[in-house]
Amino acid sequence: MSSGYDRVVQPAAGDEALENHLGGDEAKNYRQYEFDMVAPHVGRSMLEIGSGLGHFAEQFLPRLDRLVVSDFDPYCVEQLKKRFEGRDEIDVLQFGLPTDIPLEDKVDTVVMMNVLEHIEEDAEALRSLARVTLPGGRIIIWVPGYMQLYGDFDRKVGHVQRYTPKTLASAVAKAGLDVEVLKPINFLGGIAWWAAVRRGGVGYPDPRLVKIYDRTVVPLTRLIERFVRPPFGQTVFCVARVPQK
């Protein structure tokens, strides 16, 4: 079975890979936003899909008994092995979804940040993850939202699609999972993305603008979303449950 990763057109994921700028040093507030959204749903054992260079997964170590990081890209896998060398509680795997994941002991949490949108067979990819997740465990999904925001950047980094809550719910249901949390987030970011990338014709976010966005839009978005559930957003966030047997 082929993986949607086969058609990803971004370069080998080094420090300058296109998507890294959106969660790298230029966007510390955004990275904290991601962590704060995901962390309450993470248990004691975690598999991260598409770990990149390991920055995000590393933040969870103080609360985990076991961590499995993974990536499809050989460069990333090499860097992950170097980063976590000598850590017996951390395993590094290389695979692309959908597949039979080479994991003997199941985990209670799977985290996939900006991965599912690269995979055409998204429901089958989620089934692959469900097979290595304990009954009652969670699969946390963070994906770019709304095809109205789809542009040159999405094409450059190999996005098959951007999701709505409805389309993501459909993939989750086809995979036999139950929805625990499902909502659009980062409303102001969605507007900023539409203005800069779609209307403005920018094919790739300027790191200087990313810094400004991180310092101004992200804190304001977080404040607003404490009180208001947005009807639209740059991102769709989902926590899916593996049914109890």
Side-chain angles (χ1 to χ4, degrees):
M1 184 175 295
S2 65
S3 165
Y5 285 119
D6 295 342
R7 298 201 319 279
V8 173
V9 295
Q10 71 185 82
D15 292 303
E16 297 303 316
L18 293 178
E19 288 180 290
N20 286 354
H21 286 296
L22 303 184
D25 291 337
E26 297 92 343
K28 293 179 180 178
N29 286 329
Y30 185 75
R31 287 173 62 186
Q32 188 63 45
Y33 178 42
E34 290 179 313
F35 179 81
D36 291 343
M37 287 292 297
V38 171
H41 306 285
V42 173
R44 300 300 302 177
S45 57
M46 183 180 110
L47 163 64
E48 187 188 26
I49 306 299
S51 299
L53 305 181
H55 299 96
F56 189 68
E58 192 171 51
Q59 298 177 88
F60 292 90
L61 282 174
R63 63 179 64 207
L64 294 174
D65 297 323
R66 177 179 170 227
L67 171 64
V68 183
V69 291
S70 68
D71 211 283
F72 178 71
D73 187 279
Y75 173 84
C76 288
V77 172
E78 179 186 354
Q79 296 305 308
L80 289 168
K81 288 179 178 179
K82 290 179 180 178
R83 187 184 197 98
F84 298 118
E85 187 176 6
R87 301 290 297 269
D88 293 336
E89 77 280 19
I90 303 173
D91 293 316
V92 180
L93 300 179
Q94 180 176 2
F95 59 84
L97 293 169
T99 191
D100 290 325
I101 299 172
L103 193 63
E104 292 185 7
D105 297 321
K106 294 184 177 183
V107 295
D108 60 37
T109 311
V110 175
V111 174
M112 55 187 327
M113 307 292 289
N114 295 316
V115 172
L116 195 64
E117 67 274 13
H118 291 277
I119 305 170
E120 187 170 352
E121 296 170 300
D122 51 2
E124 186 59 36
L126 292 173
R127 290 190 196 100
S128 296
L129 299 178
R131 289 195 292 269
V132 295
T133 306
L134 292 166
R138 295 182 173 103
I139 298 175
I140 302 169
I141 308 163
W142 182 291
V143 288
Y146 299 87
M147 285 301 291
Q148 294 93 325
L149 302 181
Y150 193 98
D152 287 343
F153 174 79
D154 296 277
R155 282 184 283 272
K156 286 178 181 177
V157 299
H159 290 174
V160 176
Q161 64 174 310
R162 299 178 72 99
Y163 285 86
T164 65
K166 183 177 181 179
T167 58
L168 186 54
S170 176
V172 168
K174 288 177 182 176
L177 304 171
D178 300 323
V179 170
E180 185 173 276
V181 178
L182 178 60
K183 59 184 178 180
I185 59 174
N186 198 6
F187 176 68
L188 294 180
I191 295 173
W193 184 272
W194 179 82
V197 178
R198 294 293 285 132
R199 294 291 294 176
V202 177
Y204 172 60
D206 187 329
R208 294 170 298 178
L209 295 178
V210 171
K211 288 183 181 180
I212 296 172
Y213 161 83
D214 191 62
R215 293 170 183 169
T216 58
V217 176
V218 173
L220 183 58
T221 294
R222 297 194 65 170
L223 177 63
I224 292 173
E225 291 183 0
R226 286 175 56 192
F227 304 101
V228 178
R229 184 185 177 107
F232 166 85
Q234 185 183 8
T235 298
V236 177
F237 177 70
C238 178
V239 180
R241 282 269 194 180
V242 177
Q244 295 277 3
K245 293 182 179 178

